[in-house]
Amino acid sequence: MGLAKTEMFTDEQNEIALFAKVFGHPARVSILQHLFKIDSCVCGDLVNEIGLAQPTISQHLKELKHLGLIKGSVEGTSVCYCINTENWSDMKKIMSQFLDQDITKTECC
């Protein structure tokens, strides 16, 4: 299998691709929706809410946290997660600029 060669692309292109990747799995979308719905930190009820095994949930949380869309804090023996509002706003701005592009030509191909 070949290398991704991400260094060939701009930082913005790589960032957009990472955001698209994180939204590419329904479990991560579901986790984000749940965090927005409860509008607070969650400390462990994601397994019951999402219906996936704890290790699977943990892997998806790790991906979301690595990208900075969520943040976590240790409380006792559990980690509590919430939306990282600053990074979420930054992501929305970047994705909106990308998605708001329109084709100006009406004739193509």
Side-chain angles (χ1 to χ4, degrees):
M1 185 163 226
L3 298 175
K5 298 193 179 189
T6 56
E7 69 278 352
M8 293 175 43
F9 303 100
T10 67
D11 289 343
E12 181 184 46
Q13 290 165 337
N14 280 297
E15 194 170 30
I16 290 168
L18 287 172
F19 290 138
K21 180 182 174 187
V22 83
F23 291 120
H25 197 290
R28 291 189 286 268
V29 172
S30 180
I31 289 168
L32 289 167
Q33 286 176 322
H34 181 68
L35 291 174
F36 275 110
K37 182 175 79 176
I38 63 170
D39 197 24
S40 66
C41 291
V42 63
C43 301
D45 64 345
L46 284 172
V47 172
N48 294 330
E49 182 67 30
I50 309 295
L52 297 173
Q54 180 62 54
T56 304
I57 295 288
S58 293
Q59 186 61 38
H60 289 300
L61 288 168
K62 180 180 173 185
E63 292 288 327
L64 291 166
K65 189 172 180 185
H66 175 72
L67 197 53
L69 295 180
I70 65 171
K71 56 186 175 181
S73 61
V74 177
E75 292 190 12
T77 58
S78 62
V79 181
C80 297
Y81 293 97
C82 63
I83 299 293
N84 184 329
T85 55
E86 183 178 335
N87 289 351
W88 183 263
S89 294
D90 292 344
M91 179 275 308
K92 282 177 46 178
K93 180 180 174 187
I94 291 165
M95 293 302 287
S96 290
Q97 288 172 348
F98 176 69
L99 294 172
D100 283 344
Q101 298 178 94
D102 287 318
I103 297 173
T104 55
K105 287 183 173 181
T106 56
E107 301 272 335
C108 181
C109 302

